[in-house]
Amino acid sequence: MQYYPILITFHIVFAGMWLLNAIIDYRYRSKILSAEKGLLKNAYINDYLSTTNLVGILSSSGILITGVIMVLMMPHFGFFEFTANHWLVSKQIVFIAIYAVIFAMLIPASKKLRAAENDEEQTGALKKVFSLQTTINVMVVLNFLFALSRHFM
């Protein structure tokens, strides 16, 4: 129990990193969309995929690990206990949905974007990646709001 404050601090830091990923995503999108076709646009796309991937992996893994440890440490928390802590169950469900979107859709779409050979393929793959990333960002913000809502219940 003595490590709980440290654990919650790391959990909040990882959540902040995930929210920061939404800002990074927005900044790179504007650079990519304003860039002309060619090497510069491809460089922005590669930077975009690498950066959002790295920050996403670090933050989502950190959230997963610290979240699981916190649930195991605290006797009044649990996995998918619908009788109490509705905010936590909501967060857990949304988190699983985020991971499902990432692994089932975003990773394959990102691979298609990297492998795109012409502008038409690249544009279609880019739109799909942007759309999926927006979906994930909305779910991350929703999860953040569920975390804040626990203080109002």
Side-chain angles (χ1 to χ4, degrees):
M1 191 62 93
Q2 66 188 12
Y3 298 109
Y4 188 77
I6 295 169
L7 202 57
I8 194 93
T9 301
F10 277 112
H11 195 74
I12 291 168
V13 167
F14 289 127
M17 284 174 58
W18 218 351
L19 289 172
L20 179 66
N21 201 28
I23 296 168
I24 292 169
D25 176 59
Y26 174 76
R27 297 287 298 165
Y28 268 110
R29 280 185 198 198
S30 62
K31 284 184 177 185
I32 291 168
L33 294 174
S34 66
E36 305 242 347
K37 297 175 185 170
L39 294 176
L40 182 63
K41 185 172 186 171
N42 290 338
Y44 282 149
I45 289 172
N46 285 332
D47 286 349
Y48 167 74
L49 292 174
S50 298
T51 305
T52 55
N53 185 25
L54 178 64
V55 175
I57 288 170
L58 291 174
S59 57
S60 66
S61 299
I63 289 282
L64 177 64
I65 292 166
T66 57
V68 167
I69 293 171
M70 285 190 301
V71 167
L72 294 174
M73 284 178 68
M74 301 300 287
H76 57 279
F77 290 161
F79 295 105
F80 304 104
E81 286 187 23
F82 289 92
T83 56
N85 299 318
H86 294 57
W87 63 272
L88 183 57
V89 174
S90 301
K91 284 177 59 62
Q92 292 167 347
I93 291 170
V94 171
F95 189 81
I96 288 172
I98 290 170
Y99 261 65
V101 170
I102 289 171
F103 285 105
M105 300 164 81
L106 183 63
I107 291 173
S110 296
K111 286 180 181 179
K112 279 185 182 178
L113 177 57
R114 282 193 194 271
E117 295 181 5
N118 59 46
D119 291 332
E120 195 173 297
E121 282 181 27
Q122 187 181 57
T123 302
L126 194 58
K127 284 182 181 179
K128 185 167 185 173
V129 167
F130 285 169
S131 173
L132 292 169
Q133 193 66 40
T134 299
T135 302
I136 291 167
N137 290 340
V138 167
M139 288 193 287
V140 167
V141 170
L142 182 64
N143 245 7
F144 189 76
L145 294 174
F146 280 137
L148 293 177
S149 73
R150 80 178 265 205
H151 298 293
F152 301 114
M153 294 182 176

